[in-house]
Amino acid sequence: MRGAWPRCARPGRWCRSESRGLRVVLVLAKRLKQGAGALALCAMQPHVREVFDISGFLAILTVVDTRQEAVAKVA
């Protein structure tokens, strides 16, 4: 997980959320954190944000409204 690659994701562009997709996000966030990295999610559609909220992910992940905010969080 090393290297210069964006660590911001825009789940607002995802058409749906599945448990498999949620697991991928959680594993990615965990691996980045272990390697002193960070992950910020931004621009979530309301239905996607609701899934993240119900699953408890909003409490453990960084979720912001804009890409600029996400980039600032992981910089």
Side-chain angles (χ1 to χ4, degrees):
M1 294 277 171
R2 290 193 171 93
W5 58 277
R7 293 163 287 180
C8 302
R10 295 180 64 189
R13 291 185 173 198
W14 301 347
C15 59
R16 66 180 199 213
S17 294
E18 302 175 3
S19 60
R20 183 176 26 187
L22 291 172
R23 184 179 188 294
V24 168
V25 170
L26 188 59
V27 168
L28 176 61
K30 183 178 177 181
R31 288 186 181 171
L32 284 169
K33 187 175 182 179
Q34 289 172 344
L39 174 70
L41 305 173
C42 65
M44 283 188 173
Q45 294 292 325
H47 64 281
V48 175
R49 188 176 187 96
E50 182 179 10
V51 170
F52 274 70
D53 186 28
I54 291 168
S55 67
F57 280 34
L58 290 183
I60 59 174
L61 298 172
T62 301
V63 179
V64 294
D65 292 330
T66 68
R67 184 177 186 280
Q68 292 81 8
E69 290 174 295
V71 169
K73 291 282 186 180
V74 299

